Amino acid sequence: MTEPTSNSARLAARPIDEGGTPVEAWTQWRRDFAALDVEDCRTLFLVAAHPDDETLGLGATAAMLSRRGVTVQVVAVTDGEAAYPDDGGDRKELAKLRRHELADAAKALGLPTPVFLRIPDGEVARHERRLSARLGVMLAGFDRGTWCAATWRGDGHPDHEATGRAAADAAKRAGVRFLEYPIWMWHWAIPDDPAVPWHGARRIELTPGDLAAKAEAMRCFASQLERGDGPPLLTPEVVERQMALGEIVFL
Ligand SMILES: [Zn+2]
């Protein structure tokens, strides 16, 4: 696909705590995408901008592949330590907590221990070339039949978009198949939105068991689901939407 332009202005125009496009708008749309054939995937390199992106976007897919004997290696680009920039909390503590949460979630999905790249949260674009080089080195160690999935280059969140660009570049150099998964698109976009490359979208066939594993993994991210002094980042509406809509990728 051609490289999408940034949709950060679209996300910025719809603050996350204002709810975004309701789940019903998507379920009533009923657009059916062709299924993704995962037969040839032997290893999936699942790149997340922040701990929880991999679960929100492709958690059930990761569980399904793992069940089929595919190695799914999660790579967390940042520790997500800037999730609550205004609350004055200790970012080192939050980073540590979020690494633990991701390790627990990976376990719930049947995956090995994640790799943490510790790039500063909120600053992925500044470190994009270094990130691409590191991902390239990691991908070079895998054989053919390896796929790389990363947050969509047009997802709206600057870290998601920069992670997608860096991973796309690394996958191209390594000669492995690249897929991208949306998360915040479901919040800011609307059905048939012209900013979304729907023609390249593929749905992943999942079982109720795969979705149950995703739900269990989601519960590991307590720091994002609950907050003492203000709305959490992942409101019940966000989680409900991600759980209800299945999982898609853009080719
Ligand atoms: Zn994220």
Side-chain angles (χ1 to χ4, degrees):
M1 70 186 273
T2 50
E3 193 166 322
T5 49
S6 171
N7 288 306
S8 57
R10 294 287 304 275
L11 178 60
R14 297 197 77 178
I16 287 168
D17 58 6
E18 285 178 17
T21 303
V23 65
E24 297 77 26
W26 293 113
T27 50
Q28 284 161 16
W29 184 39
R30 295 178 196 277
R31 179 158 174 172
D32 198 17
F33 302 109
L36 180 74
D37 181 359
V38 297
E39 208 55 49
D40 295 337
C41 178
R42 288 197 287 276
T43 303
L44 178 69
F45 209 72
L46 178 49
V47 185
H50 315 101
D52 72 16
D53 291 328
E54 72 303 310
T55 303
L56 286 162
L58 288 183
T61 302
M64 177 270 289
L65 290 171
S66 173
R67 182 165 54 71
R68 293 167 65 116
V70 174
T71 302
V72 181
Q73 179 61 61
V74 172
V75 179
V77 172
T78 77
D79 287 344
E81 70 276 13
Y84 302 117
D86 305 325
D87 75 355
D90 185 333
R91 290 194 178 196
K92 270 194 184 145
E93 280 302 311
L94 183 56
K96 196 172 151 193
L97 177 60
R98 295 198 66 181
R99 288 197 300 273
H100 278 295
E101 289 175 346
L102 178 54
D104 288 345
K107 214 176 278 176
L109 296 171
L111 315 185
T113 307
V115 171
F116 296 96
L117 298 183
R118 316 280 293 268
I119 284 175
D121 187 9
E123 297 179 25
V124 179
R126 268 187 52 206
H127 298 271
E128 200 172 310
R129 285 179 65 178
R130 182 162 69 94
L131 172 60
S132 180
R134 289 189 70 179
L135 292 173
V137 168
M138 296 171 85
L139 283 173
F142 287 82
D143 57 12
R144 292 205 166 259
T146 297
W147 292 11
C148 176
T151 42
W152 176 37
R153 287 171 284 178
D155 203 39
H157 189 302
D159 281 350
H160 288 205
E161 295 186 348
T163 294
R165 290 193 301 266
D169 189 46
K172 194 173 174 187
R173 282 184 279 114
V176 305
R177 187 171 188 192
F178 179 66
L179 307 165
E180 33 200 334
Y181 59 94
I183 295 174
W184 292 113
M185 176 203 81
W186 299 114
H187 169 90
W188 60 257
I190 54 170
D192 288 318
D193 201 307
V196 179
W198 301 113
H199 58 277
R202 296 290 179 274
R203 90 187 137 76
I204 296 152
E205 289 175 321
L206 302 165
T207 65
D210 302 328
L211 291 164
K214 176 176 180 158
E216 192 190 335
M218 271 319 304
R219 286 193 284 274
C220 298
F221 297 104
S223 73
Q224 306 303 294
L225 299 167
E226 299 150 21
R227 194 176 170 209
D229 51 354
L233 203 73
L234 300 179
T235 59
E237 292 76 22
V238 170
V239 177
E240 188 205 349
R241 193 170 50 211
Q242 291 298 132
M243 291 305 304
L245 297 179
E247 297 181 352
I248 69 165
V249 290
F250 297 123
L251 302 183

